[in-house]
Amino acid sequence: MRVRISTVVALAAAVVLTGTASVVASTSAVAGAHTPAKPTVVLVHGAFADSTSWSGVIERLQQRGYPVVAAANPLRGLSSDAAYLRTVIDSVPGPIVLAGHSYGGAVMTNAAAGDRDVKALVYIAAFAPDKGESALELSGKFPGSTLGDTLATAPLGDGTADLTIRQDLFRQQFAADVPKKQAALMAVTQRPIRDAALSEGSGEPAWKTIPSWFLVAGADRNIPVAAQRWMAGRAGSRATVEIRKASHAVGVSNPRPVADLIIRAATTR
């Protein structure tokens, strides 16, 4: 049987093209395997603040290509706040790095327990309670907190009260290294925390099974510096960074080192 030369050429070309396509597809798959997507950073604010307190940190994380979610912490009760944060975590696909400030650290400590998608915990001038411990207990474990003398209360009618920092004392207590105009706005927009949230005992802590990183605010008047260092040591922190003159609002006054520590946690294997 005679076969046309043109037919042979066409068949050969088809084989070559098919082989080339397979090589390209394989190369793309290998390249993809070596460039995994960045984890999503979930930020958890604490008491007397809201998600905008992370604005400077968010900007720097996004510049580095990280997807970011800033959770709206309800500040009503430790267990209920943690339950809410778990719904946020569950809505995020892929690996997660959790970063919490102040009371937000206690919330993420509870919310992340047993969650395999959470790869790192980053405590930013934050509470890292063990089972049964409360934020109130930890803040009084070492001398140095002056928060109690600055608080204003608003009874809620159920035997509990909302707590805020008096606006005239807010900057010196919470944000001494933040520009005056910015601190004045923060004082007005601060979100109150229910007092029961600060006295509620923690559940099983996530830092016992998930790697942690700590940033210590060296001029903190809310959480004593000694307490921050002690919690970092107890948790077996992979790295602890201390900013000597930073106020409790360290994420506002020093967003770059805060973002850098979060990225360090995100990139450590």
Side-chain angles (χ1 to χ4, degrees):
M1 182 176 68
R2 298 176 65 185
V3 180
R4 292 183 179 179
I5 294 176
S6 59
T7 302
V8 174
V9 172
L11 288 171
V15 171
V16 170
L17 289 173
T18 302
T20 302
S22 298
V23 171
V24 171
S26 299
T27 302
S28 297
V30 171
H34 289 291
T35 55
K38 287 181 169 65
T40 298
V41 178
V42 177
L43 303 169
V44 190
H45 68 81
F48 320 118
D50 62 14
S51 292
T52 63
S53 61
W54 293 109
S55 294
V57 175
I58 292 169
E59 180 182 6
R60 286 159 176 79
L61 291 173
Q62 289 180 333
Q63 287 172 351
R64 297 286 295 274
Y66 285 88
V68 184
V69 174
N73 191 351
L75 306 177
R76 298 294 86 192
L78 183 55
S79 57
S80 61
D81 293 343
Y84 169 75
L85 181 57
R86 276 192 292 272
T87 68
V88 175
I89 294 171
D90 289 344
S91 73
V92 175
I96 294 169
V97 172
L98 270 177
H101 173 244
S102 191
Y103 167 77
V107 175
M108 76 175 187
T109 294
N110 285 261
D115 195 317
R116 294 182 179 180
D117 289 331
V118 178
K119 304 304 181 184
L121 303 170
V122 187
Y123 291 87
I124 307 299
F127 291 109
D130 202 347
K131 187 174 182 178
E133 291 178 340
S134 69
L136 186 62
E137 177 184 348
L138 287 169
S139 66
K141 190 174 185 66
F142 296 88
S145 177
T146 56
L147 177 62
D149 295 334
T150 70
L151 294 176
T153 62
L156 295 173
D158 62 354
T160 66
D162 266 348
L163 305 176
T164 56
I165 298 175
R166 285 173 44 188
Q167 290 187 26
D168 60 322
L169 299 177
F170 183 90
R171 184 170 184 257
Q172 69 182 53
Q173 176 62 40
F174 194 90
D177 56 346
V178 174
K180 288 183 179 181
K181 287 185 178 181
Q182 187 176 8
L185 289 173
M186 290 169 62
V188 173
T189 60
Q190 64 175 300
R191 288 186 51 214
I193 186 168
R194 185 167 165 259
D195 55 5
L198 296 175
S199 58
E200 183 177 345
S202 177
E204 195 65 36
W207 50 259
K208 288 189 175 181
T209 57
I210 300 173
S212 60
W213 282 255
F214 279 72
L215 186 143
V216 175
D220 199 325
R221 296 181 180 179
N222 276 30
I223 306 176
V225 177
Q228 295 180 46
R229 293 173 183 152
W230 179 80
M231 288 184 284
R234 179 177 67 173
S237 173
R238 293 283 186 91
T240 301
V241 174
E242 184 164 336
I243 303 178
R244 188 167 60 87
K245 295 183 179 181
S247 71
H248 190 60
V250 61
V252 179
S253 61
N254 291 272
R256 185 173 299 283
V258 171
D260 287 347
L261 184 61
I262 293 171
I263 292 169
R264 184 175 176 182
T267 54
T268 300
R269 296 291 181 264

